[in-house]
């Protein structure tokens, strides 16, 4: 089945009733076939109703079936073969190696969540057995477990057309939690979105799950997304994208008669701190690693190193010189779409025009190249100008970074203190050097979700220990990650069953522990039966 | 040290600079000595600054020290002796047995959190070790743990002057998480609040923690509380009380430049569903249990059974008759304060005046009694009138309950469908009967935080498996409980350390696992060293 331009609603492929559009190839500006369709509000309502109707069944479905479904999604994505890869390249301008790598990551993620589901730790089962003879009052039997929060709306992100989109981390973690998912596909890669939905559709049918477990709704503009977020049956939202887009959703969700959690990952500047001894020994290598990280994927990562902090001196001068030289040789790559290119150019122009900001270097020109290209850029500013001007804390989404030169450690600490919440913070340190800066590290710690040493933040590993989130405004909720196995926590909520009939216990709470999961029984961590 | 009327700010007892007031004995209406003082905004700022200044130190302090501190709080509360008990009785009208029981619960809770801290499960440590040879890219060492979210504001609740107040569950769980706490004491029991703060102050000094770890700020009206919630250094808020009070705080927190999580537990109607076979066999016993639960503590529990649902028929008639008889003998008890008494009377009057609502029975009159008494009340209404009128979903905080008579199961399910989120839902069922109602149970499940069988919801056990929370508007965040060991999750957020120098790892992340805690190492649950 190739791309049809249809929507998937409750297991049926239907033509959207709110007009048509076409995808655009950002490398050429050309429109891509076929004609695609947008969802009407009645179609949004139908998808929401289908999700709500099957929410209890999917919540109760066995962990084994949920894992089987997740693995089937991965298998069916691979079975899409080269059509998926070519369409994703055409819609995003990303190179084949990146798309194939991202496909691998997406499938790995689905399989990881299948393992997470089977392990059952995410249920956080706690059992306090009855104490009928306790004085002055007996204790009833109390059993706690996490269960699915209900239907979840997922917004596809433009910059990861596979791994943060239709079948990406938000969808995988919501499925793993037992939540039906309604995806608002990103209009920057709609054909890719449809193909991924075809794979999920097949996986649903193969595993015999109810069709309402997944719907794909497309639509340019904000109507479809807004309608999904305000639907009373929807219980949570996952989003990766811009601050303004994310906060629009947060506000919509907060203003509902029943407010719901919204998990928006809204990007950040991702400060990289250059400690002096590190620069003294390897300023050039650090500069080269930084520039490579900066221009990777044309800088279109939430974790792009958009801010560099160093203490003025000959070591920092060496770093700057090496970075300038390396940057000048960087190509201007094709950005994801025209809107992102325009926002990037505007962002760089705005930051460049602030008091005290100078442009140190740019990469190769994109003049003469076709497509929506972004030119790598390195700007510098003094710490005092940076601290005085909150405009300089705005992210430039793309291959641009702002280097802040500090007179001394006190000024460096003041810069870190002035920062908003960040997804990541990086320390470039010589061996043993970092321990000389405990207060600086503490300041950075409280402002980031991930604190990394002698690397660059652009690699976000899908694993148990990842945190991709952070203090506001990097994310709307500092308590959760959107990448890694802990992302499942976003779509769960605890329930306690008190004095419940044993014959009605769900499997995770049964005395015999048929799933062999770790549980907290009367305060002790165990896999034993009760 | 007896009651001074002072505030505790950064380890110093100071007179509030924003006027004076006195506590009132609700059993007599008389003012209590001594004169008390209210915090000024400068004093609020000083307390917040002290909390922020020591947040990093307290976050990093060893688990052993944190546990020692929690246990010292419990010891010092017991050392307050009878002065605490007598003052709490005088300020709340609650009987001595209840106050002593609540003191026991409060100390038990502090000691439980000490155990939780030592066990270390709350850290959710996840370690994915480096894979330097992985293709196509190596994996860095990644280590994840929960850490304190930062300074927390706790609002004392009127109805649990010890267990949900100055040193109650919110404070205990925030301390356990490693967060400094700023308490806005409830002006309904200010002397009790001061005594409890004296105990915490002693515990801080004994264990050598920084003084900013705890402050007590008093003030009538909303100024002090609002100033605390909007302070930039504050990172989370815990509140138990009314819907309007809770939502005021939620809105304040959402409107901050940096929004922060607010955990408000705002009460609910706590529906009790009477299944027919249960009533056929023991309608009178169920009625007696219900009425006892309803009037316990003059009905001043968030989990009071304020709504009863049954299917019309001779069994339900028997229940109503027995409940009426039992209720008529119930005394009118002293309520916590004049405001609560007035709100109760108004609430009952409002519900009573709705179309189709009749008053079946009232308890003994409070005419002639001194103090702010509340008269037990049982109202009834038909399911159709209930569903048609959202005014009937308002909680009456006090000893009143609304019985909804349904024609049949379909109507009972429609009533449950119409309910807002609830802290609890209760099923009264004969053996085996509940399994005949899977859809009804599913409907109830998605609307409650705790689902209990053949009991009454008023007993909230402090244990690992408790959920005291639920879907909005029972609580502002369905993902968390405010009672039980899982309450600690509210005040934590994850951080990931990537490629971090081993010599700088906090203890929970060290390879040798010196704390002997359970960790997820490369996907396996273990206590082994790495």
């Amino acid at each position: 089945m190739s791309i049809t331009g249809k929507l998937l609603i409750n297991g049926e492929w239907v033509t959207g009733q709110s007009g048509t559009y076409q995808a655009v190839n950002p490398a050429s500006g050309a429109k891509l076939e076929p004609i695609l369709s947008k969802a009407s509000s009645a179609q949004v309502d139908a998808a929401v109703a289908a999700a709500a109707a099957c929410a209890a069944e999917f919540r109760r479905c066995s962990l084994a079936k949920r894992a089987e479904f997740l693995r089937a999604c991965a298998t069916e994505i691979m079975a899409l073969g080269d059509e998926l890869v070519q369409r994703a390249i055409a819609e995003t301008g990303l190179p084949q190696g990146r798309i194939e790598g991202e496909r691998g990551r997406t499938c790995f993620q689905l399989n990881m969540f299948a393992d997470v589901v089977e392990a059952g730790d995410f249920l956080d089962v706690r059992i306090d057995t009855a104490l009928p003879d306790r004085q002055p009052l007996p204790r009833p039997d109390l059993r706690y477990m996490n269960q699915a929060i209900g239907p979840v709306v997922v917004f596809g992100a433009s910059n990861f057309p596979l791994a943060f989109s239709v079948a990406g981390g938000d969808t995988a973690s919501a499925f793993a939690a037992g939540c039906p998912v309604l995806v608002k596909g990103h209009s920057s890669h709609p054909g890719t979105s449809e193909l991924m939905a075809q794979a999920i559709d097949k996986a649903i049918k193969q595993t015999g799950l109810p069709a309402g477990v997944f719907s794909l709704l497309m639509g340019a503009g904000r109507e479809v997304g807004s309608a999904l977020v305000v639907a009373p049956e929807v219980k949570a939202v996952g989003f990766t994208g811009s601050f303004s887009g994310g906060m629009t959703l947060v506000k919509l969700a907060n203003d509902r008669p029943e407010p719901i959690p919204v998990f928006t990952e809204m990007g950040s500047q991702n400060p990289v701190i250059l400690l002096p001894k590190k620069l003294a020994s390897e300023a050039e290598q650090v500069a080269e690693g930084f520039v490579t990280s900066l221009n990777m994927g044309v800088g279109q990562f939430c974790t792009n190193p958009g801010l560099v902090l160093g203490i003025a001196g000959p070591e920092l001068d060496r770093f700057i010189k090496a970075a300038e030289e390396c940057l000048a040789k960087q190509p201007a790559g094709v950005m994801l779409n025209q809107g992102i290119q325009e926002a990037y150019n505007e962002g760089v122009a705005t930051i460049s025009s602030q008091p005290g900001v100078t442009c140190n270097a740019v990469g190769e020109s994109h003049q003469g190249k076709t497509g929506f290209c972004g030119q790598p850029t390195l700007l510098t500013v003094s710490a005092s100008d940076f601290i005085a001007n909150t405009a300089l804390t705005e992210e430039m989404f793309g291959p641009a970074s702002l280097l802040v030169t500090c007179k001394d450690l006190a000024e460096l600490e003041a810069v870190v203190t002035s920062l908003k919440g960040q997804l990541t913070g990086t320390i470039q340190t010589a061996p043993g050097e970092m321990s000389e800066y405990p207060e600086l590290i503490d300041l950075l710690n409280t402002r980031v979700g991930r604190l990394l040493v002698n690397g660059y933040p652009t690699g976000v590993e899908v694993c148990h220990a990842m945190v991709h989130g952070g203090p506001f405004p990097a994310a709307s909720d500092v308590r959760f990650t959107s990448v890694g196995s802990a992302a499942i926590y976003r779509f769960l909520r605890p329930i306690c069953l008190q004095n419940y009939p044993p014959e009605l216990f769900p499997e995770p709470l049964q005395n015999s522990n048929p799933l062999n999961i770790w549980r907290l029984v009367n305060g002790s961590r165990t896999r034993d039966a009760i």
Side-chain angles (χ1 to χ4, degrees), chain A residues 438-470:
Chain A
E439 277 150 32
L440 179 68
I441 307 303
D442 257 343
L443 289 171
L444 191 60
N445 175 304
T446 59
R447 283 159 180 80
V448 305
R450 179 164 55 111
L451 187 51
L452 49 101
V453 176
N454 287 345
Y456 290 96
T458 33
V460 181
E461 188 74 29
V462 176
C463 61
H464 298 292
M466 178 49 61
V467 174
H468 188 66

Side-chain angles (χ1 to χ4, degrees), chain A residues 76-90:
Chain A
E76 291 301 328
I77 288 168
M78 290 311 296
L80 292 168
D82 201 48
E83 183 180 6
L84 175 70
V85 174
Q86 294 308 321
R87 181 72 186 195
I89 293 168

Side-chain angles (χ1 to χ4, degrees), chain A residues 51-63:
Chain A
C54 72
E57 180 182 346
F58 191 42
R59 164 163 57 78
R60 281 191 319 249
C61 104
S62 72
L63 298 187

Side-chain angles (χ1 to χ4, degrees), chain A residues 64-285:
Chain A
K65 173 149 295 221
R66 247 188 263 171
E68 181 194 346
F69 168 52
L70 287 160
R71 294 193 181 107
C73 288
T75 303
E76 291 301 328
I77 288 168
M78 290 311 296
L80 292 168
D82 201 48
E83 183 180 6
L84 175 70
V85 174
Q86 294 308 321
R87 181 72 186 195
I89 293 168
E91 289 187 333
T92 63
L94 295 169
Q96 180 152 349
R98 156 69 191 270
I99 292 294
E100 287 177 351
E102 194 179 322
R103 181 179 59 176
R105 175 196 178 98
T106 306
C107 293
F108 176 82
Q109 199 157 245
L110 287 158
N111 287 317
M112 179 194 73
F113 276 111
D115 296 344
V116 165
V117 166
E118 287 177 338
D121 285 358
F122 73 99
L123 298 167
D124 194 12
V125 170
R126 297 149 171 259
I127 298 174
D128 291 311
T129 54
L131 300 172
D133 301 324
R134 191 184 63 174
Q135 293 301 327
L137 288 171
R139 180 173 82 179
D141 183 276
L142 291 147
R143 303 193 182 212
Y144 169 118
M145 65 180 278
N146 283 326
Q147 68 178 30
I149 199 169
V152 171
V153 169
V154 170
F155 285 80
S158 64
N159 62 337
F160 278 85
L162 306 179
F164 280 83
S165 192
V166 174
D170 288 341
T171 298
S173 54
F175 280 158
C179 299
V181 172
L182 299 141
V183 169
K184 160 64 176 70
H186 201 287
S187 52
S188 192
H189 54 265
T192 307
S193 296
E194 185 189 329
L195 291 169
M196 295 294 269
Q198 289 174 12
I200 297 175
D201 183 35
K202 282 186 186 159
I204 288 173
K205 284 164 183 160
Q206 274 168 31
T207 42
L209 288 173
V213 158
F214 177 80
S215 290
L216 172 68
L217 299 157
M218 302 299 302
R222 288 182 166 173
E223 294 76 12
V224 170
S226 299
L228 285 168
V229 172
V230 302
E233 299 87 346
V234 167
K235 299 302 179 191
V237 178
F239 168 89
T240 296
S242 69
F243 179 75
S244 70
M247 290 308 291
T248 300
L249 300 182
V250 168
K251 187 162 167 28
L252 275 176
N254 284 343
D255 289 346
R256 290 166 46 119
E258 178 198 359
I260 53 172
V262 176
F263 305 95
T264 64
E265 189 274 86
M266 301 180 286
S268 67
Q269 293 185 298
N270 304 297
V272 177
I273 297 178
L274 309 171
L275 294 183
K277 288 183 189 166
K278 175 74 170 181
L279 290 188
S281 66
E282 37 182 323
E284 290 75 16
Q285 294 91 321

